[in-house]
Amino acid sequence: MKVTISVEHLSKVFQSQNDLEIHALHDLNLSVAENEFVCILGPSGCGKSTLLRIIAGLEKASSGSVFYNGREHTRPGKEIGMVFQSYSLMPWLNVLDNIALGLEFARIPKAERIAVAQEYLDMIGMSDFGKAFPHELSGGMQQRVAIARALANDPDVLLMDEPFGALDAYTRILMQKELLRIWEKHRKTILFVTHSVDEAVYLADRIILMSSHPGRIKEEFVVTIPRVRERSNPRYGELTAELLSLLEEG
């Protein structure tokens, strides 16, 4: 299977205001295959978000390397898109223009970028909301728009940093189902950070469990439960319990 993202001996050290060194990541190695859906799970402060930002090219590693399709990747590019927990929509732009924003930066002609934006608006089931503004949308709808904006740039890899963390439980479940539907249609490579064990078990082909201080990979789990996954499946409950136990161990 083709490796899309490769992380080799990655470490990240932050310097505090008191000149203390904070080791966020240490000697981390990770490979993500093409079209794979990988969830990164771990306690707060284990470097999950930092890892995603380094892969995206938004943060520099202290040592080690990130490779995209075999080439070292050090700066942001359209081939790797990112969706944040905060919706990060431009409040002065309507939904359609928000989705088309990356295409505008890429100097795609207006008619073409609006057509692409409308296609993704239809895909997320919000065809009638193109002229709405972010403040007029629910949290779940805003996050759909943020995902559509990332997909409109046609990245090979989609990095998602707790994108559903701010949503209520019911909307979160709906968004998980929506994301899987989009992933199965477009088969992007997805690297998804979450604090939720249930979310990781529901979504992932593979779960990366990280330890804290500094962040390292503790264990990996290949999730063999068939999709669509039922939370009543005994194996679902067993894997959830196993992951929770490991997290409690620290």
Side-chain angles (χ1 to χ4, degrees):
M1 190 174 291
K2 178 184 175 184
V3 173
T4 298
I5 294 291
S6 180
V7 178
E8 298 184 5
H9 302 292
L10 193 74
S11 295
K12 177 64 179 181
V13 180
F14 291 101
Q15 203 81 23
S16 75
Q17 291 181 345
N18 299 324
D19 290 329
L20 296 175
E21 289 189 345
I22 301 170
H23 293 257
L25 299 167
H26 178 70
D27 197 28
L28 191 145
N29 296 279
L30 174 66
S31 292
V32 182
E34 185 178 32
N35 306 138
E36 190 178 19
F37 198 131
V38 174
C39 281
I40 301 176
L41 182 66
S44 295
C46 72
K48 301 185 299 296
S49 296
T50 299
L51 174 61
L52 245 60
R53 290 180 63 83
I54 292 172
I55 293 173
L58 299 173
E59 189 92 45
K60 291 189 180 298
S62 300
S63 62
S65 302
V66 173
F67 296 91
Y68 164 72
N69 286 339
R71 295 184 177 181
E72 191 166 10
H73 183 82
T74 58
R75 62 183 64 187
K78 69 179 296 292
E79 63 276 359
I80 299 180
M82 191 156 180
V83 178
F84 300 89
Q85 181 175 348
S86 58
Y87 314 126
S88 62
L89 302 179
M90 303 304 170
W92 59 88
L93 296 179
N94 65 30
V95 164
L96 207 58
D97 287 337
N98 261 291
I99 295 174
L101 189 60
L103 301 174
E104 183 177 356
F105 290 153
R107 298 184 179 179
I108 304 298
K110 184 174 182 177
E112 184 179 343
R113 66 177 184 256
I114 293 300
V116 171
Q118 186 63 55
E119 176 187 344
Y120 282 94
L121 192 63
D122 297 342
M123 183 193 68
I124 61 171
M126 292 179 57
S127 302
D128 297 332
F129 290 87
K131 294 184 179 179
F133 287 85
H135 73 273
E136 298 173 312
L137 306 177
S138 68
M141 293 171 78
Q142 288 187 57
Q143 197 58 291
R144 285 192 198 186
V145 174
I147 292 169
R149 182 177 61 187
L151 289 170
N153 295 322
D154 197 26
D156 292 333
V157 179
L158 193 58
L159 307 176
M160 309 190 79
D161 189 5
E162 295 191 74
F164 308 145
L167 303 178
D168 63 84
Y170 177 69
T171 305
R172 188 169 186 155
I173 289 171
L174 291 180
M175 289 301 300
Q176 290 166 1
K177 292 179 179 179
E178 180 73 8
L179 177 60
L180 282 178
R181 184 186 68 80
I182 292 169
W183 173 71
E184 287 169 354
K185 179 178 180 180
H186 290 269
R187 303 304 293 183
K188 301 293 183 184
T189 301
I190 294 182
L191 198 52
F192 186 107
V193 159
T194 181
H195 276 105
S196 168
V197 171
D198 174 80
E199 187 163 71
V201 174
Y202 186 79
L203 292 173
D205 293 321
R206 185 163 51 107
I207 298 170
I208 306 298
L209 183 64
M210 289 182 64
S211 62
S212 58
H213 310 303
R216 310 175 217 208
I217 293 178
K218 184 174 182 177
E219 288 197 45
E220 297 187 18
F221 295 82
V222 176
V223 185
T224 57
I225 305 167
R227 291 189 176 93
V228 176
R229 290 175 185 157
E230 299 292 338
R231 289 173 167 87
S232 58
N233 184 320
R235 179 56 188 145
Y236 193 107
E238 290 167 5
L239 181 55
T240 299
E242 185 177 359
L243 288 163
L244 283 170
S245 177
L246 288 167
L247 282 171
E248 287 171 4
E249 290 175 6

